[in-house]
Amino acid sequence: MGDELRSQSGRPARLKAWDDAAAPFVTPSLLNCDFSRVGEELDALKRDGVVAVHLDVMDGHFVPNLSYGAPVIADWRKRTDFTFDTHLMISDPGRYLDDFVKAGCDLIIIQIEAVPEPTDLIARIQAAGCRASLALNPPTPLSAIEPYLDQLDAVLVMSVMPGFGGQKFDASVLDKVRVLRASHPDLWISIDGGIKPDTAELAVAAGVSQMVVGSGVFRPDGNYAAALAELAEGIHRGLERGKGSASSAGSSSVQ
Ligand code: DX5
Ligand code: ZN
């Protein structure tokens, strides 16, 4: 079987692994990893019990930074069965969608600011067997994505302006998480940017299902296991704090 076929035939199992993982969970963003040894970084995350990784694709146009694209992801797919949560911070995701599907991406996140009318693109992502998520930047109101909520598998609330790792968490976006969680108890809600143990606690209490963590996992001492354990403690505190509120952490994606 060719690499492309194998990457697609493995998708149901990779999505099942995502569904089977206990939410809320952490998906490390590779943006802050050591790109000279990505394979070893992936192996280390696997040993530490990670189920899925977050891939940040940047085009130097929608965001003021460049990262990597589908050919690079296709090579990583040969190395790992991690579920790929792929964040397209690019101006024209429809143009490149097929490449990311063939590369073995599993969840595909597009930015509402790049695609103000995403109905057709969401349908294309799902028809390809992937899950579709819409991201919204901190200044973007929930009203921008509300018309599409019933069509989506997930929503990504950005807690920094996208483009760079290591930025400060914008706590004001937690209001969006609370509103979404209250109105859509089963919606898969992700948050991305500035997540450390203390902000993970706040995000979980507000009702997120998943946290994207870059610099909070790939810290300079290289002890990712310790970083993940500290994040797990933050998640635990957030669950305790969120108990009794109307919100839940979310346990399944909207199908
Ligand atoms: C920001 C990216 C994030 C980023 C998170 O543009 O979308 O996924 O890698 O990095 P930290 O956790 O360091 O804010
Ligand atoms: Zn991201």
Side-chain angles (χ1 to χ4, degrees):
M1 198 189 292
D3 288 336
E4 184 187 307
L5 270 179
R6 190 164 47 240
S7 73
Q8 301 201 59
S9 62
R11 184 169 291 126
R14 297 195 299 266
L15 288 172
K16 182 172 187 306
W18 175 280
D19 289 338
D20 288 348
F25 60 72
V26 164
T27 48
S29 159
L30 296 191
L31 198 58
N32 289 82
C33 80
D34 179 347
F35 283 98
S36 72
R37 40 187 290 282
V38 177
E40 291 151 57
E41 298 280 58
L42 291 168
D43 292 346
L45 294 176
K46 196 69 163 183
R47 282 194 299 275
D48 294 338
V50 168
V51 170
V53 291
H54 180 86
L55 307 181
D56 286 303
V57 177
M58 303 181 183
D59 66 354
H61 186 257
F62 178 75
V63 289
N65 198 6
L66 289 163
S67 57
Y68 48 80
V72 173
I73 294 173
D75 276 355
W76 295 342
R77 174 49 78 212
K78 292 178 204 161
R79 167 85 179 213
T80 180
D81 61 356
F82 273 133
T83 318
F84 282 168
D85 183 43
T86 312
H87 184 186
L88 301 183
M89 290 165 275
I90 64 179
S91 293
D92 191 0
R95 179 172 170 189
Y96 302 100
L97 176 65
D98 294 350
D99 297 337
F100 288 104
V101 171
K102 287 178 195 156
C105 298
D106 300 308
L107 297 96
I108 297 188
I109 306 158
I110 55 174
Q111 291 273 162
I112 187 66
E113 300 85 1
V115 190
E117 299 286 340
T119 298
D120 292 348
L121 191 50
I122 293 168
R124 273 181 64 200
I125 293 169
Q126 292 168 335
C130 297
R131 293 201 185 148
S133 177
L134 262 182
L136 72 170
N137 287 343
T140 304
L142 274 184
S143 57
I145 62 162
E146 263 157 9
Y148 313 104
L149 283 177
D150 291 341
Q151 199 189 343
L152 288 167
D153 297 297
V155 167
L156 175 62
V157 176
M158 291 303 300
S159 37
V160 298
M161 280 303 283
F164 300 92
Q167 301 183 78
K168 186 175 181 306
F169 183 77
D170 178 350
S172 71
V173 306
L174 292 174
D175 286 340
K176 291 187 221 180
V177 175
R178 290 187 198 99
V179 168
L180 275 176
R181 176 56 68 223
S183 61
H184 292 75
D186 296 325
L187 178 66
W188 188 270
I189 305 174
S190 316
I191 196 162
D192 183 359
I195 296 287
K196 304 287 187 308
D198 56 340
T199 48
E201 177 180 343
L202 301 178
V204 167
V208 301
S209 320
Q210 173 204 352
M211 285 142 285
V212 176
V213 188
S215 52
V217 169
F218 293 98
R219 59 189 203 186
D221 69 3
N223 194 346
Y224 308 154
L228 289 162
E230 287 164 24
L231 285 159
E233 285 169 19
I235 290 171
H236 180 72
R237 289 195 300 272
L239 288 172
E240 289 295 312
R241 201 197 255 240
K243 261 185 199 162
S245 77
S247 66
S248 81
S251 57
S252 66
S253 50
V254 173
Q255 296 298 324

